[in-house]
Amino acid sequence: MSHLFTPIALRGLDMPNRIVVAPMCQYSAIDGVAQDWHLIHYGSLAASGPGMIVLEATAVAPEGRISPACLGLWNSEGEAALARLVAALKKVGGSRVTVQLNHAGRKADGGWPTVAPSAVPFDDGSPE
């Protein structure tokens, strides 16, 4: 029998099975705020019963987003929208919900000044 559908504990986090949904950027947020699209998308995934769902890249600052349509956690509106999403997912199934925190650095594509840990551009076409 496959172990894929058996429970597992990872450092005290009990999961009903070993299936993990990897983060997938949806590019559907507005000013970093999760929308109904996120409820539908992640809700359908949760209904299928994976052990864990990893929410898409979520920026900790507006200028850290990959694009203008990425999720964000830099203000109370974004926090409330993600709290609503997580609460809904918990009602749908037994999936554990995690998040991929993100800062795009020089690879950001939003028209805002980029911030990075070094003065070296990502490539020849990137901002300095």
Side-chain angles (χ1 to χ4, degrees):
M1 180 176 150
S2 170
H3 292 288
L4 184 61
F5 298 104
T6 61
I8 188 171
L10 303 172
R11 294 188 179 183
L13 176 66
D14 294 322
M15 294 174 21
N17 59 59
R18 299 161 190 241
I19 299 170
V20 177
V21 177
M24 301 171 274
C25 287
Q26 295 300 298
Y27 303 111
S28 298
I30 298 174
D31 295 324
V33 177
Q35 303 296 305
D36 287 345
W37 165 259
H38 295 91
L39 284 172
I40 294 165
H41 171 70
Y42 289 113
S44 67
L45 292 170
S48 70
M52 179 184 288
I53 297 172
V54 183
L55 299 181
E56 65 198 79
T58 302
V60 296
E63 61 277 4
R65 292 174 289 172
I66 298 167
S67 80
C70 289
L71 284 179
L73 246 181
W74 60 81
N75 62 29
S76 58
E77 187 179 8
E79 179 184 345
L82 284 177
R84 174 181 173 235
L85 174 61
V86 171
L89 295 178
K90 287 183 177 182
K91 291 178 185 175
V92 172
S95 301
R96 304 305 179 252
V97 181
T98 62
V99 64
Q100 178 189 38
L101 293 178
N102 179 63
H103 192 291
R106 294 193 186 286
K107 294 170 87 176
D109 186 24
W112 50 78
T114 58
V115 179
S118 105
V120 179
F122 176 71
D123 59 24
D124 291 338
S126 294
E128 294 195 21

